[in-house]
Amino acid sequence: MKREIPKNYDPQEVEDRLYKLWERSGFFNPDNLPGDRTKKFVAAIAPPNITGELHIGHALENTLEDIIIRMKRMQGYKTLYLPGTDHAGIAAQNKVEKQLSKEGLSRHDLGREKFLERMLQWKEKYGGIILNQFKKLGLSLDWSRLAFTMDPGYQKAVELAFTKYRENGWIYQGERVINWCIRCATSISDLEVKYEPEKTKLYYITYGPFTLATVRPETKLGDTALAVNPDDARYQNYIGKDLEIESVDNSISSDQPVKKKTITIKVVADEAVDQEFGTGIIKVTPAHDLVDFEISQKHQLPLIKIIDEHGKMNENAGIRYQGLRTTQAREQIVKDLQELGLIEKIEDYEHNIGKCDRCDSVIEPLPSTQWFLKMKDLAQLALEALDKKEVQLNADRWENGLRNWLHNLRDWNISRQLWWGHKIPIEGVDDVLDTWFSSALWPFAVMGWPEETKDFKDYYPTNFITSDRGILFLWHARMIFSGKFFTGKSPFEKIYIHATVLTKDGKRMSKSLGTGIDPLIMIKKYGADALRFGLAYQVTELQDMRFGEDAILMGKKFVNKLWNISRYILMNTSDEISDRIPEDFKIENEETKDLLNKLDSIVKSTTKNIENYEFGRAAHALYDFMWHDLADTYIEFSKGKNSEDTRIALEYTLCTILKLLHPFIPFVTEEIYQQLPLKKKVSIMIEDWPA
Ligand SMILES: [Zn+2]
């Protein structure tokens, strides 16, 4: 019998229709899956920020997750892929503050309550955008379990977590030098500081018998010591001594001529000092440098705060500099020191400067009273989980990086001077928690913890999680110790760190630089399957991925080829086909034998490759099999044969290859599957995985 399916495959027409069909089927929800499923397979999506939109990194990450999830579902696992969003503290608050500033308002004009109302409105309006984009990508997420990091249940989890830490004596308040963003008016974590090269000046200042190089001469006013390396032979005679040195008299106002004054400063020895940098001797400004602060702690040096939270010099800088911005103070003090003959030389200099990851402002390290979580025991828990292989990473270098970070962990500054977020559950405290504090609870908070819910019992711990290397410390490390501490288990077995997507010539993808590839535009142009296949085809485990539009075009050609092959086979099938080879099947041709052998080996290798996270390898092998072994070789051979042997082999091969390709290109495989004259069919999504 001849059957006719449309000549051309039109993803636009097919994709939205099929996604709705899948949603209606209920099979994204593991509790609805047919059959007797005894094993589970679970992944919680990395919750995108409510400020987010789909970028190529998401498209890659979620495609890879969906590939495993779809295979496991077909293998008979109770499969849960759980969606959600993150409230994204500082990032989201910045968005709304920007919106307000266009109206000429600040959050303080609105007050806390009104501002939080605005935040919620914003979340309602924009928070769901990226989730709809995930549907466009074809992700088989269980929408009935959609989670948000500020859901009432989630808030309970956060409060309990904080309280438990506190009961253990791990939460304390302390004055520490922290990274402060002047614009965001909040402390931010070390991990939220990005370092960018900056062209500046290096000033060589006379300090008594020494010359010191610094890029920030204005911080001289907060110096409380000089430091040298204990092994530095040049300075042995000075270690531990007090020196009298000439400096600038900051008690004279700036409309008066500058004068010298003598100050006393101590020389300490500390291993943190690099003998090779400059003259091998540094000034120590404990209040405004994170390294200097640590030196000061070891040597009990005083801390003089000279810069305030607005980035201006305060009263401790003396009347001559008080009220100036740091950059103005720098100009003034350089001029003063030059007049006093205390500057030896000034050189051009390039170095890395810390900037706020959210707003690009230069970070000002400041002493500030914040809440901290002690890391010693928690880091140990995470290290133990790695030692016992309760959690494994896909490459040693990621594991080594993680271990190294855990070994050198400072206490976690968990308080933020923001309004949007989880309020610190202590009477009289206005600060909110660092957004990563709540994200760290994600894999079990979404399962209903601290309640002993059915989901928590059935689906926790999860099996795997993926992301690029950027949030390994920020997020994964913290999920591991949180999971171990609160549930006694690692929250996932496997962390798969995927390649970072770069442009074809190896540049960072960026919307503002015009080097990005917008996944939604690509889906519109080529279809979601083409994008998914193009991404999976390019990915290798250990290298960054150089990705161009031509890969997606290749994906589209592949999808069309599959369509045409299927169309050809279906036009020549019998009324009913089987996805099994008949038991009495006698192979007549060597060519058929060869094809079925190759098919058998592609079945085995695809399963193994996906299980080993070798997505690119799996996609390449499937591509070669379909294009060369099936189309170029066997179909050409079969033409005009009109034999039972080739017909059955083609029908069986088509059914099998559709199933193997389904995790990669779910839409077109479902569309073709629905045209197959199979005896029983519901959805290819729940077909048995070939074995
Ligand atoms: Zn900022």
Side-chain angles (χ1 to χ4, degrees):
M1 187 196 130
K2 302 252 172 198
R3 56 191 73 241
E4 197 58 60
I5 69 170
K7 204 160 186 270
N8 296 309
Y9 176 67
D10 175 14
Q12 303 309 324
E13 189 274 320
V14 171
E15 290 177 359
D16 287 353
R17 170 166 56 78
L18 285 184
Y19 199 85
K20 285 199 189 91
L21 184 92
W22 290 334
E23 280 192 280
R24 272 203 307 274
S25 77
F27 295 143
F28 290 165
N29 181 338
D31 302 328
N32 295 337
L33 286 169
D36 189 18
R37 293 169 187 251
T38 50
K39 288 183 289 179
K40 55 111 184 157
F41 193 82
V42 180
I45 206 167
N49 290 347
I50 52 168
T51 51
E53 54 183 297
L54 199 63
H55 60 66
I56 202 81
H58 290 120
L60 172 70
E61 177 169 320
N62 302 130
T63 294
L64 301 183
E65 285 171 344
D66 199 48
I67 288 171
I68 306 179
I69 288 284
R70 282 182 185 270
M71 179 181 79
K72 291 284 175 183
R73 192 183 287 114
M74 293 172 77
Q75 282 177 332
Y77 287 76
K78 242 181 149 165
T79 312
L80 171 59
Y81 187 18
L82 193 143
T85 48
D86 194 295
H87 68 280
I90 189 170
Q93 177 162 328
N94 278 352
K95 290 267 181 183
V96 174
E97 284 191 90
K98 264 186 200 154
Q99 205 181 44
L100 282 176
S101 83
K102 280 184 197 147
E103 300 164 32
L105 293 169
S106 77
R107 66 173 149 135
H108 300 283
D109 294 327
L110 260 70
R112 192 166 187 143
E113 206 174 309
K114 283 258 162 59
F115 181 76
L116 289 178
E117 273 171 33
R118 281 290 289 254
M119 288 298 311
L120 285 171
Q121 284 168 17
W122 200 89
K123 186 244 164 187
E124 282 311 308
K125 193 164 171 197
Y126 296 103
I129 289 179
I130 194 164
L131 299 177
N132 284 319
Q133 295 176 339
F134 285 158
K135 295 185 179 181
K136 287 268 175 217
L137 198 58
L139 306 182
S140 55
L141 291 156
D142 179 5
W143 297 102
S144 72
R145 286 179 165 86
L146 178 63
F148 176 53
T149 53
M150 279 173 62
D151 284 337
Y154 208 114
Q155 297 210 18
K156 234 195 224 171
V158 171
E159 267 175 42
L160 184 75
F162 184 90
T163 308
K164 287 215 165 181
Y165 283 143
R166 203 168 177 219
E167 283 166 4
N168 254 32
W170 292 347
I171 302 260
Y172 67 94
Q173 204 180 19
E175 187 174 56
R176 291 267 308 262
V177 173
I178 44 91
N179 301 297
W180 181 266
C181 176
I182 308 265
R183 205 223 58 88
C184 298
T186 181
S187 66
I188 63 174
S189 78
D190 294 351
L191 296 164
E192 290 164 319
V193 180
K194 59 176 178 185
Y195 290 89
E196 288 181 352
E198 180 205 48
K199 286 201 165 76
T200 180
K201 303 276 180 205
L202 190 60
Y203 304 88
Y204 288 82
I205 303 176
T206 309
Y207 261 76
F210 309 122
T211 303
L212 270 69
T214 179
V215 292
R216 298 199 66 184
E218 74 279 12
T219 61
K220 183 183 198 304
L221 302 160
D223 289 350
T224 56
L226 299 176
V228 297
N229 190 289
D231 298 332
D232 197 330
R234 294 170 290 181
Y235 304 116
Q236 290 299 317
N237 293 337
Y238 294 98
I239 294 170
K241 300 233 165 80
D242 284 324
L243 294 180
E244 295 214 325
I245 63 168
E246 289 181 319
S247 186
V248 58
D249 188 345
N250 56 350
S251 67
I252 299 169
S253 77
S254 58
D255 51 9
Q256 302 293 315
V258 63
K259 275 194 184 159
K260 276 184 185 170
K261 81 167 176 191
T262 304
I263 58 164
T264 307
I265 200 157
K266 190 178 177 181
V267 181
V268 298
D270 196 288
E271 269 135 17
V273 181
D274 178 5
Q275 295 186 50
E276 309 297 320
F277 175 76
T279 51
I281 181 159
I282 62 163
K283 62 196 215 47
V284 183
T285 322
H288 299 289
D289 184 282
L290 274 68
V291 175
D292 291 7
F293 175 74
E294 293 199 339
I295 295 177
S296 78
Q297 295 284 92
K298 282 186 260 173
H299 303 276
Q300 282 93 42
L301 302 172
L303 189 123
I304 306 172
K305 180 177 175 181
I306 55 160
I307 300 165
D308 69 15
E309 281 72 13
H310 306 288
K312 289 185 174 169
M313 309 304 284
N314 68 10
E315 67 279 6
N316 295 331
I319 188 172
R320 194 168 185 86
Y321 306 104
Q322 186 178 356
L324 296 180
R325 300 206 151 274
T326 51
T327 45
Q328 295 168 323
R330 188 175 307 167
E331 271 174 42
Q332 179 71 44
I333 202 165
V334 166
K335 189 168 147 259
D336 291 345
L337 290 170
Q338 277 177 320
E339 274 180 43
L340 297 173
L342 294 175
I343 289 206
E344 198 177 283
K345 61 178 174 177
I346 302 173
E347 285 176 351
D348 286 331
Y349 190 63
E350 190 173 319
H351 72 144
N352 284 327
I353 188 162
K355 289 186 175 174
C356 173
D357 196 28
R358 304 298 178 184
C359 78
D360 284 333
S361 305
V362 174
I363 289 300
E364 194 64 71
L366 287 179
S368 171
T369 301
Q370 300 287 342
W371 293 90
F372 292 89
L373 175 58
K374 280 191 189 161
M375 277 297 113
K376 198 169 160 273
D377 294 356
L378 288 170
Q380 201 50 46
L381 280 179
L383 285 164
E384 269 171 36
L386 289 168
D387 288 342
K388 291 185 188 155
K389 303 210 177 300
E390 292 167 4
V391 57
Q392 291 183 285
L393 288 95
N394 56 319
D396 285 346
R397 59 172 169 159
W398 306 132
E399 182 170 330
N400 294 339
L402 190 55
R403 283 176 183 277
N404 196 27
W405 188 74
L406 288 164
H407 277 299
N408 294 293
L409 203 46
R410 278 189 283 203
D411 287 350
W412 180 5
N413 167 13
I414 50 171
S415 49
R416 296 291 180 272
Q417 291 64 55
L418 301 172
W419 288 353
W420 176 241
H422 294 276
K423 251 185 118 169
I424 293 185
I426 296 179
E427 268 295 298
V429 176
D430 275 341
D431 290 353
V432 301
L433 289 162
D434 178 8
T435 193
W436 295 100
F437 186 95
S438 48
S439 314
L441 314 178
W442 180 251
F444 44 101
V446 296
M447 301 297 179
W449 183 90
E451 308 296 327
E452 279 278 314
T453 59
K454 192 170 180 306
D455 271 7
F456 184 73
K457 282 185 220 144
D458 288 353
Y459 300 120
Y460 182 80
T462 69
N463 295 82
F464 85 110
I465 194 152
T466 62
S467 90
D468 74 6
R469 58 179 176 260
I471 53 174
L472 183 58
F473 308 147
L474 272 171
W475 193 42
H476 298 91
R478 289 163 173 174
M479 281 191 285
I480 298 170
F481 64 63
S482 306
K484 284 291 286 179
F485 181 64
F486 293 114
T487 72
K489 289 172 186 165
S490 172
F492 27 72
E493 295 164 355
K494 179 97 182 181
I495 303 174
Y496 174 77
I497 299 293
H498 64 72
T500 299
V501 191
L502 303 173
T503 63
K504 252 204 133 33
D505 43 2
K507 290 203 184 79
R508 191 169 63 90
M509 285 222 181
S510 149
K511 220 175 186 178
S512 55
L513 295 173
T515 52
I517 287 183
D518 183 339
L520 284 183
I521 293 176
M522 294 301 116
I523 289 174
K524 212 164 173 197
K525 210 163 153 189
Y526 302 107
D529 285 336
L531 175 64
R532 289 172 64 119
F533 196 79
L535 284 164
Y537 189 86
Q538 299 262 304
V539 78
T540 58
E541 197 166 15
L542 290 177
Q543 276 157 14
D544 285 340
M545 178 171 150
R546 296 186 172 201
F547 191 80
E549 196 171 327
D550 47 353
I552 312 173
L553 182 62
M554 178 279 299
K556 186 181 167 67
K557 285 183 181 159
F558 180 73
V559 166
N560 285 339
K561 184 78 178 175
L562 176 66
W563 184 261
N564 292 334
I565 290 172
S566 306
R567 197 168 165 270
Y568 170 79
I569 296 174
L570 281 171
M571 280 165 70
N572 299 291
T573 57
S574 39
D575 286 344
E576 191 183 302
I577 67 169
S578 169
D579 59 357
R580 307 249 187 289
I581 290 269
E583 270 171 31
D584 55 357
F585 183 57
K586 286 207 178 58
I587 296 173
E588 290 163 22
N589 301 296
E590 271 308 301
E591 285 79 358
T592 302
K593 200 170 163 187
D594 190 41
L595 176 80
L596 294 180
N597 281 339
K598 281 183 173 144
L599 182 65
D600 189 50
S601 89
I602 202 84
V603 164
K604 293 197 171 79
S605 75
T606 304
T607 312
K608 190 171 130 262
N609 283 330
I610 297 178
E611 265 162 6
N612 292 338
Y613 304 86
E614 302 264 19
F615 303 97
R617 193 172 285 180
H620 276 261
L622 285 164
Y623 181 98
D624 290 340
F625 174 81
M626 193 200 78
W627 207 290
H628 304 302
D629 299 324
L630 178 59
D632 292 350
T633 309
Y634 194 75
I635 289 182
E636 286 312 311
F637 159 76
S638 74
K639 278 180 182 166
K641 288 273 182 315
N642 199 16
S643 82
E644 179 81 353
D645 168 285
T646 56
R647 185 180 57 74
I648 290 177
L650 281 173
E651 289 168 4
Y652 171 67
T653 303
L654 177 62
C655 290
T656 307
I657 196 90
L658 284 175
K659 291 178 196 171
L660 293 178
L661 282 168
H662 177 69
F664 295 84
I665 44 176
F667 291 109
V668 68
T669 48
E670 180 77 87
E671 183 68 2
I672 297 167
Y673 171 85
Q674 293 299 338
Q675 318 264 355
L676 297 178
L678 286 164
K679 206 171 192 178
K680 268 200 323 201
K681 65 180 174 197
V682 180
S683 164
I684 193 168
M685 196 166 64
I686 52 161
E687 274 286 349
D688 290 340
W689 184 253

